[in-house]
Structure formats: C-alpha cells, structure tokens
Amino acid sequence: MEAILELDKMEELNLKKLRNIGIIAHIDAGKTTTTERILYYTGKIYKIGEVDEGTATMDWMEQEQERGITITSATTTCFWKDTRINVIDTPGHVDFTAEVERSLKVLDGAVVVFCAVGGVEPQSETVWRQADRYKVPRIAFINKLDRVGSDFFGVCKEMKEKLGAKPLILQIPIGQEDQFKGMVDLVESKAIIYKDELGIKFEKTEIPEELKPLASKYRLQLIERLAEADEVTLDKFVHDIGIRPQELKRSIREATIKNKIVPVFCGSALKNKGVQALMDAIVDFLPSPEEVPPINAINPETETQEERKASDDEYLCGLVFKVVADPYVGKLTFVRVYSGVLESGKQIYNATKKIEERIGKIVQLHANKQNIVERVHAGDIAACVGLKKTTTGDTICDEEHPLVLEKMHFPTPVISRSIEPKTKMDQEKLSLALHRLQEEDPTFRVSYNQETAQTIISGMGELHLEILLDRMLREFKVAAKAGTPHVAYKETITAKVKSEAKFVQQTGGRGQYGHVVLEIAPAERNSNIIFIDKIKGGAIPREFIPAIEQGVNEKAQTGVLAGYPVTDIEVKLVDGSFHEVDSSELAFKMAASKALSDGLQKGRCVLLEPIMDTEVIIPDEFLGDVIGDLNSRRVQIKSIDQKGPTRLIRGNAPLAEMFGYATVIRSLTRGRGTYTMEPSFYAEVPSNIVEKIIGRH
C-alpha cells in the first residue's frame, strides 16, 4: 500500500519539484556514505548502512560489499521538502569512469564530494572535467572534517588552483578534527550545532563569538562574489541596502544554474553532520528539468537540428544511458526522458538503429529494488523492461517525429587479457556472458585474435577486468581462465612520407586495377586517423574514395612494428589512376592498404604506450623505499607533498610497469599505503624496451 501511495505522490509532482542529481567524487571521498545519509534523512531507509561493513544500500553488488567500493552507478528516488530527488551514486575508481560519464550525460546537477584531508585528488579532476564537458551545474560538499589533518579552506583553495572552479563558501566549520561539531550558515548568519550522534537533533543559534570576525569576512566575500554575477545584488551592495537571506538564495540559485559559481558546504557524512543542509542546497540551488536548456538533437530525415523542451506536451524523446542484465527480469534499459511521456505496453522508435520496440513494463529503482509504474513523464529517469536491441547511447522517440541525440564519449580500453572457458560445457555460456557484459559496459571490448586463436577481453584496468571475470562466475556461472594482462600499445610514424601502390590482377575476363598515391604525416596526439581527400581533376572517380578510406582504416588496425593499431597520423590521398573497365572498390581498397603499409615502413614507426597519472599516498617513514621502487618502474615523479603525517607522491607511470602494484605498495608500507591511477596520455616507448616487445610479438 505504501508503495502505491508513493507512486501516486510521484504522479502528482510538477517539474519544478523534481531534481536529477549525481553524487560524484574521487575514490574514498565518501560518496556512498553521503548517499546513505540522504536516504536515511529522507525516510527511504530506516537503518544507516556502512560501506566499511558492507551494508550500504547503494553498494548492492556482492563485489561492492566485499571490496568496500562502488562499481556500478546505483539509482534511487527520495523526497525532501516536497521535492522529488532522483539520486545516482557513481563509482570513484577510474576503472569505472564510464559509469560517471553516462550518469553526468543525463543529470541536471551534481554534488561533488571532496575529502577534507585528501583535497582535490586525480579522480576529482577527472569527474570535474566530465561535468564541465556536459555543463552540469554543481555544488561541493567538503566531507570528513572530523578526520585528523582536515583542512576546509585548503580544499577550497585547491578547487580554484587545480580545477579552475569558482567556489562560493556558504558554510564554515565550527571546530576541527575530533572537535568538529557543526557549521556557520553564512546565508542565514546562524550557527548549526549538532546535539546527537545520528545528526537528527541540531539547533540553529547565534554564531560563537570567536568565529564572528571570520564569518563576517566570508559573508562579505559571498555578497561581493554574488554582486559580480547578479545586478540586483550589485545594486543593493553598492547602495548598502540590507540583503535578505531569501534574496541571497535566489542570487545563488541563478548563478549556480548558469555555472558561474560552485556553492561550497561542509560536514562529516560518517558522523551525520551537514547532510540535511546539503539536501536543502540540492533543492534550493540545483536546477529542475525546466531550468536546464532544452535538449538539442538532429532530425535524421532532414539532417537539421531541433530542440525539445522538458514538457509532457512535446513529442517523446529520451536517451538510453545504461543497460543492466538483471537476473530476474532480464535486460533493464535505463532511460532519461527529455520530453513527452513514456508509457508501458506502448511501441517506441529507436532512431539510432531505426527499429521499433515494445516496452513491457517500466520500473523506478531504489538501488536493486523496483517499483512498477505505468508512465514516465518529461524530465524523469526510469528503467524499461522488454527492449531487446536498444543499447547504451541510443535515442528513443516518436516514430513520426524522429530525433537522434548526441552520443556519449567513452575512453578507449588500455589493458587486455586472453580468456578461455575451463571446460567444453562453459564454451557457449562464455560467449553469452561476454555478449551480455559488453551490452552493459561500453568500455569493455571483446575481440578474437586470428593468429593465436584466442578471445581477447579489454578494459580500463586490472580491477575492471577482475570484477568482470568475477561477475561471469557468480552471475552467469561460467568458469573461465584469464591470461596475463597485456598493455594496449599503439604505433605511429615520426616522419612525413609519400607512398604509392598499385593493385593489378589479370585472370582472364575482367581484371582488377587500383592505383593510389598517399602522403602520410604525423598528426597531433589523440587525433587517431585523419583521412583527407585531395584528388583533383578526376584522377580517381568519386565513387572509389570511400573504399580507399576503408582500406586505410582497416590496414591501420595492425601496424608494421608489432601488429598494434596505428594512431595519430594524417593520410592525404593526393593522386592515382583508374581503368575504365577493371577498376573496382576492392582494387582501390587493396591499393590503399598496400600504400599505407609501405608508407609506415618508410615513416620511421615508433611504439606508443599508455601513461597513467599516478598518485601514491604513504606514511612518511616509507618514502625512500617507495620512491626507489617507483624510479625502477620508469615513473616520472612530478611532486611530493606533505599532508599531515602522510606523503602524497604524484607522477606519470607507464601502465606496463604498474601491473600488480597494489600488492607491491602493501608490502613496502606494511599495508598502510594506497595508490590510484588513471589514463593520461600516450608516449613513445624507450628503444631498449621496444626490442623486447617486438621479440615477444
């Protein structure tokens, strides 16, 4: 009965009272703990779960509970002050960065959690850049102020320096470390003092005498910053007219939605302090679906851009941002509805794949529990059951008014392993499991190596592949053996060359003739293969140009040094010739492939390896041993900082040298050291190591 009442309550809500938000952060900053507290205070759960005990509601997968980390983004719906909030708790570990990427694509706002001790960490920078890409308005929550070495103002400074953010401090902490007991609300000019361990009882009182000068300084700074962004506040500030808290809140809301500022809050989620004020901020400052710009999309029939407003009266348009294989209901397809209404039992049109599908039922989720609903309104998020061919990034819409939304950007895998079933019985099950996992995870790739007759799985890191292998065993009951990890090397050229090739065959009857001249030059890093058609005067007919480009792209999949994919080259088609009878697409494709191969041989090819941004946190006493070990791994150390009793080492590490480093760092520091890595760029492999790699190949 309670579930039905809650669904009725959902139906009645208007768009102004809806928030789609994500909780994003570096690993171990306290995202899941913060989300657990949000669920507790909104009455969604009655007992607070703890990440360290493996009882967190949002970490529902067995692997998440065992490791104490978030692997998959979990979705839930809760209510706060008559506003409905869809919350997505995202992973912090870089191996699962795709989960953050797809969540940010469909969210209207985000809460970025920072650790008051660790500050702005590598993954904090990554998620911040992802949020920048999608122009997501955000608020910051500086967590763990009860910890030794916490520094609220230090983190605000790092946000400016490292992220280029414009933090607007709305709270300052009362007390430090184990004396942390509340915060000063600069908007209301009141102190919030917590009275019990669960953080339910607190009182708003006068600001303590010793904090009044600091509070006055930051309140003045707050009004000055708002005056820069808002004319009404500027006018009152200049004429020294008092500004009421409600007027300040209006100004903060407008500036936050326009991404001009980032309101900053403080607290300790673990000690139940500051979360209610954060919930108020989500309602007060983050946008509703109506307040974000209308979604832009391409009409596939007219190739023109159209927009859809967040309204039930518009035609249906939604984006599939996640697919999950559920053991009970089959495939769950998560959809953000941008416009129109999605109804169960109705046909929808997949404009990306140009197919029709029927929705079996629609569910709203709380972690891995489901509530069935009849329809989903504009601006909302839900999961559909029954969509068989629809995958991540597809647009669903009204067939009479088709639209295709911009696809999501996912990073390229950097690590590979061979995989084979343990028994003949597992062979078919392995194929099914790999297909299902690939459907779910856009950063997981499966390929077949013809030379070695092996199936190769590729992903974002050792942990990523380890989790997927574990899931195969638990969810799909497939026993599989995995080979040692392999690095995703790439090849490129260092010199500009001209290459010419002909493909001629005479076998009686119609022959084959294709002739191309290519200019191949190094291109900028991360530019992949750039193909430019420079043919003039009809030397090669237009209909053969796509075949030439296809020949170039296919040959670029296997380089000439060690068979790795070729990247960062510019290929210009400058000349060639054709035969009126014998020329064909196949002939030009083969000629282009041969010309590229010859050009790569002449262009002084080099091998590139993925370099990782690495951060190692260790106690002071182990610094010498850890630095020595990192130097032996070709790590280029960029900085060594002191953070309380620990040292923070930042550097660039070749991925090939970092396999199994988790065990090494534990052994060097007696289990007290930790490290994080994320892909940064590709760099040339030193010549002595190239020889070993080519030898292995």
Side-chain angles (χ1 to χ4, degrees):
M1 184 66 185
E2 192 175 286
I4 294 166
L5 285 173
E6 190 164 269
L7 295 185
D8 288 343
K9 195 175 173 186
M10 287 176 182
E11 290 289 338
E12 289 164 19
L13 283 174
N14 63 32
L15 276 181
K16 285 188 176 66
K17 298 289 184 184
L18 176 64
R19 302 286 180 274
N20 293 312
I21 65 136
I23 313 282
I24 60 176
H26 183 88
I27 189 168
D28 211 25
K31 292 177 306 304
T32 302
T33 305
T34 304
T35 311
E36 287 295 311
R37 298 321 184 252
I38 288 172
L39 297 182
Y40 180 73
Y41 295 129
T42 56
K44 196 74 186 179
I45 56 174
Y46 303 102
K47 179 182 181 294
I48 295 175
E50 299 296 355
V51 175
D52 295 345
E53 294 168 16
T55 56
T57 310
M58 300 299 271
D59 284 352
W60 55 271
M61 287 171 69
E62 288 173 30
Q63 294 91 337
E64 294 178 311
Q65 291 166 359
E66 288 168 2
R67 288 171 167 84
I69 60 168
T70 303
I71 291 165
T72 180
S73 49
T75 309
T76 192
T77 300
C78 56
F79 290 87
W80 184 255
K81 292 189 173 173
D82 81 354
T83 298
R84 179 163 155 232
I85 304 171
N86 288 328
V87 184
I88 299 186
D89 172 34
T90 63
H93 200 288
V94 66
D95 285 19
F96 310 105
T97 191
E99 288 289 330
V100 185
E101 186 79 30
R102 55 179 162 198
S103 300
L104 283 170
K105 172 77 175 172
V106 298
L107 293 171
D108 301 325
V111 176
V112 189
V113 182
F114 294 98
C115 170
V117 182
V120 176
E121 297 169 282
Q123 190 66 7
S124 313
E125 295 183 43
T126 304
V127 297
W128 195 270
R129 286 196 301 270
Q130 287 172 310
D132 277 343
R133 188 183 305 131
Y134 295 118
K135 297 182 174 63
V136 177
R138 61 215 91 144
I139 56 182
F141 180 61
I142 298 178
N143 190 26
K144 301 192 178 184
L145 279 163
D146 58 309
R147 291 264 302 272
V148 174
S150 60
D151 181 1
F152 174 77
F153 296 106
V155 179
C156 293
K157 189 179 172 203
E158 281 192 17
M159 284 175 68
K160 272 189 204 169
E161 292 170 356
K162 292 185 179 175
L163 305 174
K166 293 179 179 172
L168 185 72
I169 296 171
L170 299 190
Q171 292 178 343
I172 57 174
I174 299 173
Q176 272 189 301
E177 300 174 353
D178 59 345
Q179 298 300 307
F180 175 63
K181 59 182 179 181
M183 58 281 300
V184 173
D185 180 339
L186 298 174
V187 175
E188 303 271 0
S189 290
K190 292 281 183 190
I192 301 167
I193 310 288
Y194 285 86
K195 297 292 185 186
D196 69 332
E197 280 300 304
L198 281 175
I200 293 168
K201 292 178 186 168
F202 59 88
E203 65 175 11
K204 284 196 173 183
T205 178
E206 291 304 309
I207 298 169
E209 246 355 276
E210 69 274 14
L211 281 175
K212 278 186 177 173
L214 192 66
S216 295
K217 174 190 165 186
Y218 279 101
R219 192 170 198 275
L220 180 64
Q221 198 180 89
L222 157 69
I223 294 167
E224 284 175 352
R225 289 285 311 282
L226 285 175
E228 291 170 19
D230 179 60
E231 284 183 22
V232 178
T233 311
L234 175 63
D235 189 54
K236 291 196 172 191
F237 177 61
V238 169
H239 294 98
D240 204 18
I241 302 167
I243 304 172
R244 296 196 305 274
Q246 279 310 110
E247 292 173 320
L248 278 179
K249 283 184 180 177
R250 179 195 57 77
S251 268
I252 295 165
R253 179 179 185 80
E254 285 178 10
T256 305
I257 291 170
K258 289 175 184 169
N259 265 315
K260 290 182 176 178
I261 56 160
V262 179
V264 180
F265 298 84
C266 62
S268 166
L270 189 66
K271 295 293 170 67
N272 312 302
K273 292 179 176 71
V275 179
Q276 293 100 322
L278 180 65
M279 294 294 292
D280 288 343
I282 290 168
V283 172
D284 291 341
F285 306 133
L286 289 179
S288 71
E290 279 186 333
E291 290 166 304
V292 292
I295 194 77
N296 277 315
I298 300 291
N299 183 323
E301 291 173 359
T302 61
E303 296 293 322
T304 55
Q305 209 169 57
E306 293 181 20
E307 62 176 41
R308 292 269 195 276
K309 289 177 188 160
S311 165
D312 287 1
D313 300 329
E314 290 261 9
Y315 296 112
L316 173 67
C317 181
L319 180 72
V320 173
F321 67 96
K322 185 177 163 94
V323 175
V324 174
D326 187 283
Y328 303 108
V329 298
K331 201 161 88 168
L332 274 176
T333 308
F334 284 74
V335 180
R336 161 73 194 258
V337 180
Y338 286 106
S339 62
V341 178
L342 194 64
E343 293 187 77
S344 65
K346 294 284 177 75
Q347 291 274 108
I348 55 103
Y349 181 63
N350 181 329
T352 312
K353 293 195 168 72
K354 298 182 179 174
I355 53 170
E356 277 190 13
E357 295 235 57
R358 180 178 290 279
I359 295 172
K361 64 177 178 177
I362 302 172
V363 293
Q364 301 235 270
L365 281 105
H366 169 48
N368 64 335
K369 297 181 179 68
Q370 301 162 3
N371 288 324
I372 297 171
V373 294
E374 284 302 308
R375 63 187 62 80
V376 187
H377 297 271
D380 211 346
I381 290 171
C384 301
V385 179
L387 302 181
K388 293 183 173 64
K389 294 180 181 174
T390 300
T391 53
T392 300
D394 287 357
T395 304
I396 61 170
C397 58
D398 178 71
E399 189 169 4
E400 299 299 311
H401 305 87
L403 279 184
V404 178
L405 292 158
E406 183 193 1
K407 279 218 166 196
M408 285 174 265
H409 158 84
F410 293 114
T412 318
V414 294
I415 184 171
S416 303
R417 297 179 81 166
S418 60
I419 186 170
E420 57 187 60
K422 281 190 175 174
T423 66
K424 276 271 196 293
M425 295 277 288
D426 288 315
Q427 180 75 54
E428 202 170 306
K429 286 197 289 184
L430 175 66
S431 175
L432 174 69
L434 290 174
H435 177 68
R436 284 275 181 85
L437 291 170
Q438 226 182 336
E439 270 190 334
E440 276 190 36
D441 187 345
T443 58
F444 176 57
R445 309 272 169 87
V446 181
S447 58
Y448 186 74
N449 187 321
Q450 297 282 0
E451 290 178 28
T452 60
Q454 285 179 317
T455 300
I456 306 294
I457 56 172
S458 305
M460 297 306 298
E462 284 183 280
L463 180 64
H464 186 200
L465 295 184
E466 191 185 311
I467 296 285
L468 288 166
L469 288 165
D470 195 25
R471 285 186 62 195
M472 276 183 220
L473 187 60
R474 294 193 200 198
E475 291 173 36
F476 300 97
K477 307 293 184 283
V478 179
K481 291 184 290 188
T484 52
H486 294 286
V487 178
Y489 291 106
K490 291 185 179 179
E491 298 182 21
T492 193
I493 61 170
T494 54
K496 186 176 176 180
V497 294
K498 198 167 188 176
S499 179
E500 183 176 0
K502 281 184 181 178
F503 181 76
V504 183
Q505 273 188 355
Q506 288 300 136
T507 51
R510 186 180 165 180
Q512 297 281 5
Y513 182 90
H515 170 218
V516 299
V517 181
L518 303 178
E519 278 182 5
I520 308 159
E524 286 182 11
R525 284 282 176 266
N526 301 318
S527 57
N528 212 342
I529 310 291
I530 302 166
F531 180 80
I532 301 168
D533 172 19
K534 288 280 186 182
I535 289 293
K536 287 178 185 159
I540 298 172
R542 309 282 349 133
E543 65 263 28
F544 296 129
I545 305 297
I548 295 168
E549 185 174 0
Q550 190 185 352
V552 165
N553 286 330
E554 284 182 12
K555 180 60 205 166
Q557 296 304 307
T558 50
V560 295
L561 271 182
Y564 291 107
V566 178
T567 189
D568 305 340
I569 60 168
E570 184 183 87
V571 180
K572 282 183 189 168
L573 174 62
V574 292
D575 203 359
S577 61
F578 72 103
H579 187 281
E580 284 188 359
V581 177
D582 291 351
S583 280
S584 67
E585 287 186 356
L586 174 67
F588 275 105
K589 183 177 155 185
M590 299 301 288
S593 178
K594 189 171 186 302
L596 183 68
S597 182
D598 293 347
L600 293 173
Q601 299 277 9
K602 292 189 286 186
R604 294 204 298 275
C605 253
V606 292
L607 209 57
L608 301 175
E609 63 180 342
I611 303 293
M612 316 295 280
D613 268 344
T614 306
E615 187 178 84
V616 184
I617 302 168
I618 52 163
D620 247 344
E621 65 211 78
F622 304 110
L623 184 64
D625 290 346
V626 171
I627 292 285
D629 179 70
L630 289 174
N631 286 333
S632 73
R633 294 171 185 274
R634 300 192 283 125
V635 177
Q636 190 179 352
I637 293 167
K638 294 194 289 189
S639 67
I640 303 172
D641 300 319
Q642 186 93 35
K643 288 216 172 184
T646 60
R647 290 293 185 118
L648 179 67
I649 306 163
R650 283 196 174 99
N652 291 328
L655 175 62
E657 305 288 350
M658 298 302 282
F659 290 142
Y661 189 65
T663 312
V664 173
I665 191 71
R666 280 199 292 268
S667 153
L668 286 172
T669 61
R670 297 183 204 150
R672 291 161 65 196
T674 60
Y675 84 105
T676 57
M677 289 196 311
E678 64 172 283
S680 182
F681 58 93
Y682 270 79
E684 192 175 331
V685 180
S687 55
N688 58 322
I689 293 164
V690 171
E691 288 164 21
K692 289 180 194 169
I693 295 167
I694 293 173
R696 278 206 307 269
H697 179 75

